[in-house]
Amino acid sequence: MNRHVSMETLIGIAGTGEAMTWIQRLFSRRRIESDLSEEIRGHLDERIEELVSRGVAPADAVRQARREFGNVTLIEEQARDVWKWRWIEDLSADVRFALRQLRKSPAFAAAGALTVALGIGANTAVFSVVNAVVLRPLPFPAPDTLLSVWPRGDAGPAGPYDISYPNLFDFRNENTVFDHLVSYRATPISLTGSGEPVQLRGEIVSWDLFPLLKVQPTLGRGFRPEDEDPAARIVIISHSLWKTRLGGDVGIIGRTINLDREPYLVVGVAPAGFNFPVGGEQVQVWTTLAIDARSDTVQPVTQQRGARMLSVMGRLREGVSIRQVQTQMDRIASSLAQRYPDENRRYPGVFLQSALGDVSGLARGPLLFLLGAVGLVLLLACANLANLLLSRTAEREREFALRLAIGAARSRIVRQVMTEGLTLALIGGIAGVAMAGLLVELAVPLVGTTIPRIEQTRLDGRVLVFALAVTLVTSVLFSVAPASRLLYDRLNDPLKESAYGNVHGASRVGSALVVVQVALGLMLLSGASLLMAGFVHVTRRDPGFRPEKLLTFNIGVPGAQYPRTRQLEFYSQLLERLGTLPGARSAALAMPLPLTGSSMTVGFDIADRPAPRSARPSSNIAIVSPGFFQTAGIPLLQGRGFTDQDDSAGPPVLAVNRAFADKFFPGENAVGKRIRSGALSDARGPQMREIVGIVGNARQSPLGSQPDPIYYFPYRQLPWCCPSVIVRTGESPASLESSVRSVVSSIDRQLPLFDVRTGDQILLLGVTPVTFLTVLMVSFAAIGLLLTSIGLYGVLSYAVVKRTREIGIRIALGASRPAVLSMVLRRAAILVGAGLIIGLAGSIAARRIIGGMLFGVDGGNPLLLLCAVSVMVAAAWLATYLPAHRAASIDPMLALRTE
């Protein structure tokens, strides 16, 4: 018998039939290995018996049989190669060995797993938000073919609500690149006759909204072209409204419900989960633009080319490119600018954006910035772990040298180290995903709806794949340094040298990693300092009014049931009763409220400086009642406020804020100036109005860097529906809510009250996005600072331990303890200084990226950068002092005895 015969026999056993695949053999592995061992024993026993029968002594027969047969272990390993599961067994063995190593070093395992968990958990949590807000496709068929269409002015996009109905109709009729071009705008609608009156969120849309989205109602039908007739009152209701308020009645189709006290025919029920526009609160009813095509007092907005109030979305026709769309829509816009120069001259083109990009909007940039910042945290974690593994590898050099000496290949040892890193990363990754789930569950509800679609944040398949990919990349990043050292260093040296002699390679790589950590940590601190400065600036600056002890709310007053005269009577009666409530000091009307971000922009002519209609200036407007400035706490700077005599019978008047006066009447007294606004109150058309007062700058946007110019109309001269109500209280505003509801109900029980908020809540809601961004960034910077400090402490502590004998000899030969302290601190200063130089360069470059998120704070302020540098230096000093102090305290006798 020879080895060749043995291998042939082995292969015969391995085959077990041509039909058995290697996967089948894998699951039969134990049986096949048992058969192999039994076969080998059988061959050996036969040979031994044969030799004994020839007169060979039994012991000699066993040795000769084994010698002739060959290396049994090698044959078994070659068999595994034939069976194709050798790599699985090797990986399984490596993982088991890695787990044993981690169990032997629980402190190292805990520190490593926690570091990985922090990095991967933070990255997974932020990516889950980015995935929900920025990456997840819209929930409609072929979402990539949906485009948002905005007018493009001379200075870029004009804004998301800047298309008028007549322009929409022209775009819709003259283009050949869209299958559908649909307008939509929000409107509050009250539901009565089905329990308590309730305010619903409604959308006024073009008839082909559902064909645009390729969505079919669950019940009934979609809209039809004839549903846009001014007399039509047609509605499609949401699935949730149908289930809750209407009892899920399948017979609702063809019946009417009372919306704004008018009967609307229900023609459809939207599918469960359907919402449009995407990214906001759930819309409960959709109706057609017929509601805008009717007006008893002024020209309907569907006929006003200058009334820009619509968002527009289109679906690309099959085979049409974005470039073709841009070319044709620009040509139509240019034609409209020539045909209607008074209204369209400023908008000679269009701006196209993917519907998904429109939904994510302004949140896209800050969220991607956060994702980049948390990526730096992960790099810091990798550098920290790389240092830990380098130290651990240096401690195990004798083990690796012995394995090499007895025949192990370097690649096998490197694979073992990489497997240990992967095992550690997987443990930390699992903990990180659990941490991310907890963070999402706790943090996302605090943001509310201020960031679109953030409520859809969850750990779905894409997020889990991201977490797995990051885990694998992380394991490679922090394992590559120790693996490279094992590949290229002379591992037999530790068998010749003392245990303390071969540390320079690890020291050099560890020092380089510390420099990287300091640089990355400084960049995180710099970004956090800028955002903190922006947050403090936004929250501490004067909003222009006094939000404390202020209660605000809205009332769903139906225009059809409340014509102008009755509406004026209702609000007059309401303000009078609210002012007499116990605890209430005054009440007033405003449209829109300060700090809500809402705005209405209307053009005007200045009497002393007439200009062509297409070139006239424009500014935000607000409509307020007498006493509003006093109730809101907006100071009157010059002239007078509004009085009860400022009604339709009195002379037309205006008040302006300081920003308006400074912009349009620089160096002049704006009081007494006359302007003609395009805001219409009745069929008489625009009227010349006199500015009677100048007030302080009450901010409309909480995040704007500068106050917006605003001119104010007295409500009785421009009674647009429907203003908000504000009440100044002498006690807690929330305590008056029940009394306010009672007052409204006493006037009209069918009027719903909604959006009841205090002034402080409005202020807090306005700064929620910047609060969310700042808190996360500061948290990441704190984690980065901690990791940097731990990394610096670890490298210096390791160096001190490995140089204990050297330091002891230095002290024994006369070196002073301050000199030893200085030696360690000097090395730390070199590392920190190098990291600070690199980090400063990166921080300066990063400031350009986040310049748009600073809310008026100067990104180039050197004091902020100095603060970040100071914090990093302080943390580095604390991390350095402990190992330096320990080095200076070494007893030379004890140090020499340890050798």
Side-chain angles (χ1 to χ4, degrees), residues 7-18 20-22 25 31-32 35-36 78-85:
M7 289 301 297
E8 292 294 333
T9 304
L10 172 64
I11 294 172
I13 296 173
T16 63
E18 292 294 332
M20 179 176 284
T21 66
W22 77 271
R25 290 196 297 268
R31 179 179 60 80
I32 295 175
D35 291 344
L36 172 63
Q78 290 173 338
R80 294 190 186 100
D81 290 339
V82 173
W83 295 333
K84 299 182 180 178
W85 61 58

Side-chain angles (χ1 to χ4, degrees), residues 466-485:
F466 170 83
L468 178 60
V470 169
T471 300
L472 297 176
V473 171
T474 299
S475 71
V476 172
L477 287 177
F478 66 69
S479 300
V480 71
S484 299
R485 185 158 184 263

Side-chain angles (χ1 to χ4, degrees), residues 128-135 356 359-360 363 367 451-454:
S128 67
V129 176
V130 173
N131 179 50
V133 177
V134 179
L135 301 180
L356 177 59
V359 169
S360 58
L367 287 179
I451 297 177
R453 299 206 297 174
I454 195 170

Side-chain angles (χ1 to χ4, degrees), residues 709-722:
I710 304 173
Y711 60 109
Y712 295 88
F713 291 82
Y715 173 71
R716 289 181 172 273
Q717 292 185 358
L718 193 67
W720 288 2
C721 185
C722 300

Side-chain angles (χ1 to χ4, degrees), residues 120-132 136 429-441 444 454-467:
I120 292 178
N123 274 268
T124 303
V126 174
F127 180 80
S128 67
V129 176
V130 173
N131 179 50
R136 184 176 295 152
I430 293 171
V433 169
M435 185 185 301
L438 182 62
L439 286 173
V440 166
E441 185 177 348
V444 168
I454 195 170
E455 74 282 354
Q456 300 176 19
T457 301
R458 61 180 182 272
L459 301 186
D460 59 11
R462 178 185 289 177
V463 174
L464 294 178
V465 168
F466 170 83

Side-chain angles (χ1 to χ4, degrees), residues 859-889:
N861 189 341
L863 289 178
L864 296 176
L865 193 56
L866 180 62
C867 288
V869 171
S870 300
V871 171
M872 178 56 70
V873 170
W877 185 87
L878 289 175
T880 302
Y881 180 76
L882 291 177
H885 179 72
R886 185 162 59 247
S889 304

